[in-house]
């Protein structure tokens, strides 16, 4: 439960920042690359949608090495993952695997 709350809190802050930047610039904000752990970012994002994915019968297998780091903007990268998950939910059918 605490991990879920932490993930929701982090995503809420990221979304708030994204919306503020979008409103002020009327465009996607400039990326702020930093070294991020892709495995943790994917896991946190999938955790947000776990119940919805389960409800739709969609199984997601994120197979990543233990430590995968990339240089990217964390908020923008997470938004991309969220969009992919949402698309899978909208297009998925029961028992469909997304890898």
């Amino acid at each position: 439960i605490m991990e879920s709350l932490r993930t929701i809190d982090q995503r809420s802050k990221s979304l708030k920042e994204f919306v503020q930047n979008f409103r002020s610039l009327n465009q996607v904000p400039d990326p702020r690359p930093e070294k991020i752990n892709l495995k943790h970012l994917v896991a946190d994002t999938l955790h947000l949608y776990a119940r919805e994915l389960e409800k739709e019968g969609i199984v997601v297998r994120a197979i990543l090495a233990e430590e995968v780091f990339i240089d990217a903007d964390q908020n923008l990268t997470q938004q991309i993952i969220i969009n992919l998950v949402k698309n899978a939910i909208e297009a998925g059918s029961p028992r469909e695997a997304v890898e």
Side-chain angles (χ1 to χ4, degrees), residues 21-33:
N21 289 334
F22 187 81
R23 284 183 181 166
S24 67
L25 302 175
N26 220 5
Q27 63 184 17
V28 176
D30 289 333
R32 293 182 295 189

Side-chain angles (χ1 to χ4, degrees), residues 49-74:
Y49 289 93
R51 287 184 190 226
E52 194 168 351
L53 289 164
E54 183 179 335
K55 177 183 163 195
E56 296 297 322
I58 299 171
V59 177
V60 178
R61 290 186 199 109
I63 303 169
L64 297 170
E66 190 61 34
E67 296 296 323
V68 176
F69 290 92
I70 61 171
D71 289 321
D73 184 295
Q74 182 166 333

Side-chain angles (χ1 to χ4, degrees), residues 38-50:
L38 186 59
K39 183 175 184 171
H40 292 160
L41 186 63
V42 169
D44 287 348
T45 307
L46 290 176
H47 191 71
L48 287 173
Y49 289 93

Side-chain angles (χ1 to χ4, degrees), residues 13-25 29:
K13 289 175 184 175
S14 297
L15 285 173
K16 181 178 177 183
E17 181 181 331
F18 181 83
V19 169
Q20 287 173 341
N21 289 334
F22 187 81
R23 284 183 181 166
S24 67
L25 302 175

Side-chain angles (χ1 to χ4, degrees), residues 52-60 83-99:
E52 194 168 351
L53 289 164
E54 183 179 335
K55 177 183 163 195
E56 296 297 322
I58 299 171
V59 177
V60 178
N83 291 344
L84 290 170
V85 171
K86 289 169 87 175
N87 288 344
I89 291 169
E90 290 174 11
S93 60
R95 296 175 192 75
E96 182 176 340
V98 178
E99 291 191 41

